[in-house]
């Protein structure tokens, strides 16, 4: 994900996602599209400073497991995944439950084989899908959904499509305010693995932060950045 800056081929680009949306909204389509863009080196699921009062209870992971999701990945119609290819073959309809079940099955297989160090690493990472997915906050729910997407596309998607996939390495953080997240993102850039081994004087990094999901989270980001209405005139 570490793309060169167009204006300076030697400049490294570090992209961060800051996301939140109302719990009344289905977050799966937008989160999936953001995940599939493969643009981000880190993802923060933050609390907005303010939110609209709602009488609708928050749905956590287990409530989202059977929500239908249309994906452009037609290999998800593979029997192992449990998806259904839509007419025309351009999209596949799946659920988080399909993805999690495929990951759990893969986890059991690799645990039994336990043939290599990579297998053991896989076991530790995939133990996530065998746990109770209940979350303490809406932001943790969003983070867990992203993690299911991430693990699925690495361990299952690459196998069923026949295309190699890099090991999931994106850092996922949840529960912070945007004001807390921004300095944390800056610290990440300075300590990022793609800077290791580079001479300090040669480090040239451009940071881009995409804030999306709701106007409330965008407003919180503007507040955290010190933006004022006068600057818009």
């Amino acid at each position: 994900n570490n793309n060169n800056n167009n204006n300076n081929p030697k400049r490294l680009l570090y992209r961060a996602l800051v996301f939140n949306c109302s719990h009344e909204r289905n977050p799966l389509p937008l989160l999936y599209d953001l995940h599939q863009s493969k643009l981000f080196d880190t993802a923060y699921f933050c609390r907005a400073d303010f939110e609209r009062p709602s009488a609708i209870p928050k749905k956590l992971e287990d409530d989202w497991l059977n929500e239908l999701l249309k994906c452009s990945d037609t290999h998800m119609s593979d029997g192992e995944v449990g998806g259904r290819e839509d007419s025309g073959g351009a999209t596949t309809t799946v659920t988080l439950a399909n993805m999690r079940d495929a990951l759990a099955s893969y986890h059991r297989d690799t645990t039994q084989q336990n043939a290599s160090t990579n297998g053991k690493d896989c076991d530790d990472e995939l133990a996530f899908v065998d746990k109770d997915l209940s979350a303490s906050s809406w932001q943790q729910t969003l983070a867990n959904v992203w993690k299911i997407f991430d693990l699925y596309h690495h361990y299952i998607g690459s196998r069923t499509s026949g295309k190699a996939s890099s090991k999931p390495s994106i850092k996922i953080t949840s529960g912070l305010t945007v004001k807390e997240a921004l300095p944390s993102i800056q610290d990440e850039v300075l300590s990022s693995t793609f800077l290791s081994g580079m001479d300090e004087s040669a480090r040239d990094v451009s940071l881009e932060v995409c804030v999306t999901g709701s106007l409330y989270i965008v407003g919180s980001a503007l507040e955290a950045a010190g933006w004022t209405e006068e600057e818009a005139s």
Side-chain angles (χ1 to χ4, degrees), residues 15-228:
R15 288 179 170 143
L17 171 67
V18 174
F19 184 90
N20 191 46
C21 68
S22 166
H23 68 273
E24 298 176 346
R25 177 182 181 183
N26 180 353
L28 301 187
L30 180 54
L31 275 180
Y32 188 78
D33 286 345
L34 288 167
H35 180 273
Q36 287 300 94
S37 73
K38 298 178 173 56
L39 289 174
F40 304 106
D41 299 284
T42 189
Y44 280 73
F45 298 91
C46 295
R47 308 191 312 271
D49 294 339
F50 306 97
E51 62 180 9
R52 178 166 53 88
S54 174
I56 299 176
K58 294 181 179 179
K59 294 167 65 175
L60 300 183
E61 285 94 336
D62 287 342
D63 300 307
W64 289 110
L65 285 177
N66 294 313
E67 189 78 28
L68 296 179
L69 173 66
K70 286 187 179 293
C71 305
S72 58
D73 307 288
T74 54
H75 68 263
M76 283 188 175
S77 60
D78 187 279
E80 174 185 31
V81 184
R84 184 183 72 250
E85 187 171 327
D86 300 323
S87 59
T91 60
T92 302
T93 299
V94 297
T95 66
L96 283 179
N98 294 147
M99 295 184 186
R100 193 177 74 164
D101 290 348
L103 283 166
S105 175
Y106 184 78
H107 183 208
R108 287 192 295 270
D109 291 344
T110 54
T111 299
Q112 290 173 358
Q113 294 170 359
N114 200 19
S116 67
T117 301
N118 287 336
K120 293 178 182 178
D121 290 341
C122 171
D123 291 349
D124 293 340
E125 194 165 42
L126 284 175
F128 165 81
V129 299
D130 286 333
K131 297 177 181 177
D132 180 6
L133 289 182
S134 60
S136 58
S137 69
W138 172 241
Q139 287 70 39
Q140 184 62 53
T141 295
L142 297 172
N144 286 350
V145 168
W146 182 283
K147 191 167 185 179
I148 289 175
F149 290 160
D150 216 25
L151 292 172
Y152 171 81
H153 279 281
H154 173 64
Y155 289 112
I156 308 299
S158 60
R159 184 171 66 173
T160 56
S161 67
K163 296 179 180 179
S165 174
S166 59
K167 187 176 179 65
S169 59
I170 183 171
K171 181 180 178 183
I172 303 172
T173 306
S174 66
L176 300 179
T177 64
V178 183
K179 189 173 183 179
E180 294 167 334
L182 292 181
S184 178
I185 293 170
Q186 290 175 319
D187 289 342
E188 276 187 37
V189 175
L190 297 176
S191 62
S192 181
T193 54
F194 70 82
L195 293 180
S196 61
M198 292 178 60
D199 184 87
E200 189 169 344
S201 62
R203 294 180 179 181
D204 189 4
V205 184
S206 179
L207 170 62
E208 292 182 357
V209 180
C210 173
V211 183
T212 189
S214 77
L215 290 176
Y216 288 101
I217 197 69
V218 172
S220 298
L222 292 174
E223 178 74 20
W227 180 88
T228 61

